[in-house]
Amino acid sequence: MSHEAPAVASPSFAGPSRDGSRVPFELFTRADVFAREQEAIFRGPVWNYVALEAELPEPCDFKTSFVGDTPIIVSRAEDGSLHAFVNRCAHRGATVQRQACGNARQHRCVYHQWAYNARGELVGVPYRRGVPGMGGYAADFDPKAHGLARLQVASHKGVIFASFSADTAPLEDYLDEPLIAAIDRLFSRPVKVLGHMRQRVRGNWKLYSENTRDPYHAALLHGFHATFGLYRTNQKRKGGSDRARAHSTGVTFGDDWRQASQSGNIGQDKFVTNYSLAAPSLLEGRPDFNDGVTVSITSIFPCLVIQQIMNTLATRHIRPKAADEFELYWTYFGYQDDDEQMTACRLKQANLVGPAGLISMEDSEAIELIQRAIVRDGREDSFLEFGGLHADLDQDRQGEATIRAFWRYYAGLMGLA
Ligand code: FES
Ligand SMILES: [Fe+2]
């Protein structure tokens, strides 16, 4: 009789190539890949963005959110401390809090009315001792053993992250220097939330991770920006990444879009010099920063994008729903010291980029075009060599180097490296 340990089942799906330049399409379509991602990534040693502190400024404020596909509640307790716990009743598993956000000293499950406090502790159980002669729980029933499952929580400059894993590095180490600088820049002043938007995309969540690490498509897919000279190939760009190459941040320095000329659009055929906007007020604003940066896109693995597009500031939370579907949840913000004119300008510009605006519609359409076309040939690959395989990640801000880095990091967490 053999006493050998049973062999660990090898994955039945292929991983990306070692250099990240070939990605089998089945990683975007298979339910078993999606299930493994929930364990290895979203419940693994990563920090998942869940909310902004500005969304829960007061004691007992809460917001319902997600870590991967697990529903959670992010909550501020009476003493101001932040907590995150699974939004699933410890009794029989019902969703406890059904509101998107609010203020509640107790979160009460509708099914049998178990009640939890702002720390997720069980504080109320109806008929605990039964109704005369019947029902109830045993004398040793301990409410402390039946709280909502807790996650680790960490916040940097008001951006809240949660983790299921006790093995996750401290948040600042996980983010690393260029990403911390990108967050510090946008959250240097107290922010206020201007509103939310949500969009459903019938595509895999990783197609969105690729999209926000991909400057290559910006001038090509987004015709409006190119047509009116808002995005030009000759604009100065700079970027950075963490040591582990999980995240990416990139900025574009703007000059006056009205001065754009054909010479700034190398290899681009969309720019039309005699076009002008009928309502240029859409693009009017005033700089928030003195650094000349007009666009800043920061992608933090696995599920956060932070944007500054001119005066439109937002977090985008990628919430995977299934292998072929995710929700993108936008939180728009401004600064507490904004005047009315500035707030109006941020909201107006939001129309350009949000779910109903041109940019996001085009990105989600591109993602759905992929998802629809790859359903059958899972072992065929996408091709990611733009910029050359030896491109320096910190220098190459036009190529696909940051996407290849994403896939290498992903493969490591998934045990596919
Ligand atoms: S499932 Fe929540 S109280 Fe029963
Ligand atoms: Fe895009």
Side-chain angles (χ1 to χ4, degrees), residues 88-96 108-116 126 137:
R88 184 187 58 238
C89 188
H91 179 217
R92 298 245 296 276
T95 302
V96 175
R108 194 180 295 271
C109 176
V110 71
Y111 202 173
H112 313 88
Q113 304 283 317
W114 282 29
Y116 305 87
Y137 290 100

Side-chain angles (χ1 to χ4, degrees), residues 300-329:
I300 294 175
F301 191 94
C303 62
L304 173 63
V305 180
I306 311 175
Q307 71 158 63
Q308 171 217 343
I309 298 180
M310 295 187 290
N311 298 111
T312 308
L313 312 176
T315 59
R316 307 177 199 163
H317 183 192
I318 305 167
R319 297 173 167 186
K321 299 298 171 195
D324 58 358
E325 187 173 9
F326 67 93
E327 180 182 79
L328 200 57
Y329 183 97

Side-chain angles (χ1 to χ4, degrees), residues 211 217 222 359 363:
N211 178 277
H217 81 277
H222 300 307
I359 303 284
D363 286 327

Side-chain angles (χ1 to χ4, degrees), residues 4-207:
E4 280 173 26
V8 176
S10 59
S12 56
F13 43 84
S17 62
R18 195 171 286 276
D19 62 9
S21 72
R22 299 290 188 285
V23 180
F25 291 132
E26 65 188 1
L27 293 183
F28 301 107
T29 59
R30 288 177 57 150
D32 55 352
V33 173
F34 185 82
R36 182 174 323 171
E37 288 169 352
Q38 298 307 315
E39 295 304 324
I41 294 177
F42 296 101
R43 295 186 178 209
V46 305
W47 285 107
N48 301 272
Y49 167 75
V50 288
L52 292 180
E53 285 199 44
E55 291 175 284
L56 24 150
E58 301 298 329
C60 298
D61 279 353
F62 70 87
K63 175 187 174 181
T64 52
S65 188
F66 286 87
V67 169
D69 62 359
T70 303
I72 64 156
I73 300 171
V74 190
S75 158
R76 193 182 285 282
E78 281 89 343
D79 66 355
S81 58
L82 294 167
H83 303 267
F85 33 87
V86 176
N87 189 8
R88 184 187 58 238
C89 188
H91 179 217
R92 298 245 296 276
T95 302
V96 175
Q97 181 52 259
R98 293 173 295 153
Q99 304 299 319
C101 58
N103 183 277
R105 299 181 75 82
Q106 289 189 359
H107 303 280
R108 194 180 295 271
C109 176
V110 71
Y111 202 173
H112 313 88
Q113 304 283 317
W114 282 29
Y116 305 87
N117 66 14
R119 296 165 182 268
E121 297 157 342
L122 180 62
V123 292
V125 177
Y127 308 140
R128 180 170 164 189
R129 293 185 177 79
V131 282
M134 280 183 295
Y137 290 100
D140 63 354
F141 173 83
D142 180 7
K144 287 195 201 64
H146 300 277
L148 300 178
R150 297 176 61 79
L151 289 80
Q152 323 269 342
V153 180
S155 172
H156 182 83
K157 284 274 190 318
V159 186
I160 310 172
F161 296 82
S163 180
F164 273 102
S165 169
D167 299 330
T168 311
L171 178 61
E172 274 77 10
D173 292 347
Y174 178 75
L175 294 172
D176 211 359
E177 190 35 51
L179 285 301
I180 290 174
I183 293 176
D184 288 354
R185 176 176 171 274
L186 284 182
F187 293 89
S188 57
R189 288 184 280 154
V191 305
K192 64 175 175 191
V193 173
L194 300 180
H196 299 95
M197 287 207 246
R198 296 192 290 171
Q199 68 191 111
R200 279 280 171 149
V201 183
R202 285 182 221 88
N204 185 273
W205 67 275
K206 299 186 294 301
L207 293 170

Side-chain angles (χ1 to χ4, degrees), residues 240-316:
S241 183
D242 56 311
R243 279 182 306 265
R245 305 306 200 190
H247 325 299
S248 150
T249 182
V251 297
T252 303
F253 295 88
D255 38 23
D256 189 342
W257 59 273
R258 282 160 292 218
Q259 307 301 319
S261 69
Q262 186 70 57
S263 65
N265 290 272
I266 304 147
Q268 227 174 283
D269 59 358
K270 292 197 171 72
F271 184 78
V272 185
T273 37
N274 60 351
Y275 275 17
S276 62
L277 286 174
S281 65
L282 176 65
L283 301 176
E284 273 159 16
R286 51 176 197 256
D288 278 306
F289 309 98
N290 295 322
D291 53 11
V293 170
T294 49
V295 175
S296 146
I297 301 289
T298 296
S299 302
I300 294 175
F301 191 94
C303 62
L304 173 63
V305 180
I306 311 175
Q307 71 158 63
Q308 171 217 343
I309 298 180
M310 295 187 290
N311 298 111
T312 308
L313 312 176
T315 59
R316 307 177 199 163

